[in-house]
Amino acid sequence: MPLKIGFHTGPSGNRSGIYRNYWAKLNAASKPCYQKGVDEYGPCGQVVELERSYKTGNVVVFRLSGMRDGYNMDVPNYSLSPEESARDHWHMTKKHLPTELLVDNYHKSQVWLEVINEVDKNRADWLGFFGVEIAKIAYQEGYKVALFGWSSGEPEDHHWREPGMVRFLEHAALNPDRLAVALHEYSYSDDIWDGYTIDDMDQVEYWKVGRFTRLFDVCDDLGITRPTTLITEWGWHATSIPDDTDDFIVPVHTQIEQVGKFYDQYPEVKMAGLWYLGGGYSNIANSAQRLIAPVGVMALEWEDLKPPEPPGPGETDEQRWWDMTVEEQITCGIQFANTAIQRAILDDLFYPVTKEMYVEGEPPMMAAEDLDWAIKQRPRRVYVWQNDSVRWFNDPTGSDPPEPPAQKYDLAEYMVTMFSRGILYEVQTYGAGQERHQTHVEGSVFYHTKGGDGPNHPAQWEQLKFDHEYIYRFTDTSPGQGKYYQLRDVPDQPWSKWAPRFMSAGQVYTRNPQVTFYHKSNCEI
């Protein structure tokens, strides 16, 4: 494992030297770097472009914060149902995303969107269902998301066991590359390990830094695969970093190394963003900036975990496996029956019914349901370990499974993404020849400009936009005869639904918009 502690940036502040002494330095040495950004996408975009060049496995997280258009980007609207709130929150998130995350599929695929932050732990059940819904919307649009940005020291163990949160964890287990848990871990002390205790069984319990292990314990108890985990804020205090000249504390660099080695034990933990290189917070950025170069050097010299040595003479596989840690078993790819069953279920895009796992006196088996549990397009299955392999079967008394739903295609990807960088392209128009086009994108609104071949053929444009459900049209200046027209579904309100954003081949969509023509000379009807 590499050193998974990187940096958290934001507007203004002080990140001097981070490109040279951390991002590029590590990538050039074939090592990944770790970047969390809030509000200012530039640093995240730079790390994504480095990943495009070096392919080292950089981890990038981005978040929008504060009030935008009267909407709080940090917390969802608890007054709505979880599903309705998720749709509204995603709409506002998309509205304010930087252009790169709207039109560049590579950026979309590389960046984790942390969509909420420091939410109310006492609404864990509601939040779990909210998380599942917003994740499904994000998947469909090609994004990956992280929730819930819990404050350090939160939530409590019982919050993870709420029905909605269990559903979220099951969904995260099925989608480790698209859905993550986001946590904050601060010690609120100059000692990064402040706050741990030893229980009656001499086991360490982590209450602040390392608290993610409590989530993992709940998952293990419920039989749910541990989720991808991002420590999106990590450090000591909100406004300061310990002073290395203080003889009474462990040096900061030593504390970073200790936590780095601790995180190494957990492959599910993908990164930690050291707080904070952005502005405000008593100018903590100046202290954090002084750690950029040392952390870069530490990361370069970090020793990756090596897989275990092969068995020596006379040593059995069973003894070698017995002596391994869980992490070493994962490194070697060893799968026992239950692990193999769960992997087969996930590979088939089903999810485990974790309470239906074992039958006394029978081989290991597990029930599984359709990945999209709300639709259940396919019947339940039972997966069983038999003859050293996994097989599955449907209800022996049932009928054949229905045909899978037709594949849907994202029309926005074709209409916007493919032509979003100002390239010229030509379109064959039925009965009207061939015309040169260019697409201009402004957030979720885009314009198709066309023509402009001379004074007798001036340039025209069409105005469109998209959201997670539809593609809309409004103004078109190209009908000729000195006129333009606008489309509406509701009188006096702009925009008309032109087509569903996601459609399958052969699908028909019927519409009946109000079309109003205007004279270009005076805008009169």
Side-chain angles (χ1 to χ4, degrees):
M1 299 278 180
L3 175 62
K4 293 184 279 192
I5 297 176
F7 293 91
H8 188 310
T9 64
S12 64
N14 182 2
R15 58 174 181 267
S16 177
I18 194 169
Y19 188 94
R20 179 181 64 257
N21 294 323
Y22 180 63
W23 300 336
K25 188 173 189 175
L26 290 178
N27 281 188
S30 300
K31 288 180 175 284
C33 62
Y34 302 90
Q35 163 65 23
K36 161 69 185 293
V38 61
D39 293 331
E40 182 186 18
Y41 184 70
C44 295
Q46 287 180 286
V47 175
V48 171
E49 291 303 320
L50 284 169
E51 176 66 17
R52 198 195 297 262
S53 299
Y54 288 100
K55 300 293 189 294
T56 55
N58 298 338
V59 178
V60 182
V61 184
F62 180 68
R63 182 172 73 85
L64 296 167
S65 73
M67 300 297 294
R68 296 173 185 249
D69 293 340
Y71 184 85
N72 189 345
M73 303 301 299
D74 292 311
V75 298
N77 185 349
Y78 296 119
S79 68
L80 302 176
S81 71
E83 294 75 18
E84 185 179 1
S85 181
R87 290 190 289 271
D88 285 356
H89 197 85
W90 183 252
H91 172 73
M92 294 303 295
T93 298
K94 287 291 297 296
K95 183 176 180 179
H96 295 286
L97 284 180
T99 300
E100 295 92 330
L101 289 175
L102 292 171
V103 302
D104 190 319
N105 281 344
Y106 189 76
H107 279 255
K108 289 167 64 174
S109 71
Q110 293 299 310
V111 176
W112 290 96
L113 294 180
E114 187 179 19
V115 291
I116 52 178
N117 184 64
E118 297 189 345
V119 290
D120 184 356
K121 65 182 181 181
N122 295 314
R123 300 178 186 267
D125 185 41
W126 186 98
L127 284 163
F129 289 113
F130 168 92
V132 171
E133 181 66 19
I134 202 168
K136 288 181 178 180
I137 299 170
Y139 301 162
Q140 193 172 42
E141 299 190 25
Y143 294 92
K144 54 186 184 180
V145 291
L147 296 97
F148 299 84
W150 298 113
S151 298
S152 186
E154 294 185 358
E156 308 305 325
D157 294 1
H158 67 87
H159 291 130
W160 291 117
R161 297 176 182 272
E162 293 285 348
M165 200 57 67
V166 171
R167 175 64 70 187
F168 173 86
L169 292 174
E170 290 176 332
H171 206 70
L174 293 170
N175 297 277
D177 298 325
R178 301 191 297 179
L179 181 58
V181 170
L183 306 168
H184 299 171
E185 293 199 344
Y186 293 93
S187 63
Y188 303 125
S189 163
D190 285 350
D191 177 7
I192 201 67
W193 293 114
D194 183 66
Y196 75 86
T197 58
I198 307 295
D199 66 14
D200 294 339
M201 303 296 291
D202 291 330
Q203 298 295 312
V204 178
E205 291 191 285
Y206 298 96
W207 298 98
K208 290 184 281 187
V209 172
R211 191 181 181 89
F212 71 88
T213 57
R214 309 188 68 81
L215 161 63
F216 289 0
D217 288 344
V218 172
C219 290
D220 294 348
D221 184 51
L222 296 175
I224 300 173
T225 302
R226 296 173 177 181
T228 297
T229 302
L230 310 172
I231 313 297
T232 54
E233 293 182 18
W234 178 90
W236 294 265
H237 308 276
T239 58
S240 66
I241 290 173
D243 184 353
D244 269 353
T245 62
D246 188 339
D247 294 334
F248 294 96
I249 64 170
V250 176
V252 166
H253 304 140
T254 301
Q255 295 190 52
I256 293 173
E257 182 179 7
Q258 290 174 348
V259 177
K261 291 180 177 178
F262 177 70
Y263 287 162
D264 268 1
Q265 301 174 68
Y266 300 91
E268 301 87 358
V269 176
K270 302 302 181 184
M271 65 85 71
L274 192 153
W275 180 266
Y276 174 55
L277 294 172
Y281 298 92
S282 301
N283 296 318
I284 189 177
N286 293 326
S287 298
Q289 188 273 337
R290 290 194 286 270
L291 295 175
I292 292 173
V295 169
V297 171
M298 186 185 301
L300 276 180
E301 298 174 350
W302 199 257
E303 290 287 334
D304 288 347
L305 288 181
K306 302 297 191 299
E309 294 294 326
E315 182 183 6
T316 65
D317 284 339
E318 287 79 2
Q319 183 63 51
R320 181 165 59 91
W321 295 337
W322 181 266
D323 292 337
M324 284 182 182
T325 65
V326 171
E327 287 73 26
E328 287 171 336
Q329 292 176 26
I330 293 172
T331 300
C332 290
I334 298 167
Q335 294 185 332
F336 299 103
N338 289 328
T339 304
I341 290 172
Q342 291 188 53
R343 174 53 55 196
I345 291 172
L346 300 184
D347 287 345
D348 291 343
L349 299 182
F350 278 66
Y351 75 90
V353 182
T354 54
K355 294 181 179 179
E356 300 181 33
M357 296 174 61
Y358 307 106
V359 179
E360 187 174 356
E362 299 291 344
M365 64 182 65
M366 185 180 296
E369 291 183 342
D370 197 325
L371 172 63
D372 194 336
W373 57 274
I375 299 177
K376 291 190 173 69
Q377 294 284 350
R378 299 172 292 178
R380 285 161 56 99
R381 294 176 174 179
V382 169
Y383 287 73
V384 61
W385 177 261
Q386 201 169 47
N387 298 325
D388 294 327
S389 63
V390 178
R391 69 181 186 90
W392 63 265
F393 55 90
N394 294 125
D395 182 355
T397 63
S399 58
D400 292 335
E403 290 293 322
Q407 180 180 357
K408 291 185 177 291
Y409 299 91
D410 184 355
L411 300 186
E413 182 175 343
Y414 173 75
M415 299 183 68
V416 182
T417 306
M418 291 176 62
F419 306 109
S420 63
R421 297 190 176 275
I423 63 172
L424 297 175
Y425 56 99
E426 296 195 350
V427 175
Q428 179 70 46
T429 305
Y430 179 75
Q434 189 162 302
E435 199 167 37
R436 181 165 295 176
H437 283 58
Q438 191 176 47
T439 298
H440 302 266
V441 181
E442 297 178 0
S444 61
V445 177
F446 58 103
Y447 298 83
H448 289 324
T449 60
K450 51 191 177 180
D453 300 341
N456 296 323
H457 192 195
Q460 310 291 345
W461 51 267
E462 299 178 28
Q463 183 184 27
L464 302 93
K465 74 172 184 177
F466 64 92
D467 60 20
H468 64 276
E469 290 186 291
Y470 292 96
I471 294 173
Y472 304 80
R473 293 183 70 224
F474 183 39
T475 301
D476 186 339
T477 68
S478 62
Q481 299 179 342
K483 295 181 180 181
Y484 70 94
Y485 65 86
Q486 292 182 332
L487 304 174
R488 296 175 174 85
D489 288 336
V490 179
D492 300 324
Q493 293 187 20
W495 302 107
S496 169
K497 295 174 181 175
W498 184 59
R501 177 172 170 178
F502 297 88
M503 297 188 74
S504 55
Q507 179 180 345
V508 176
Y509 176 68
T510 302
R511 51 193 291 270
N512 185 27
Q514 177 192 78
V515 183
T516 307
F517 283 85
Y518 301 84
H519 292 281
K520 290 183 179 180
S521 60
N522 56 15
C523 297
E524 291 184 356
I525 296 176

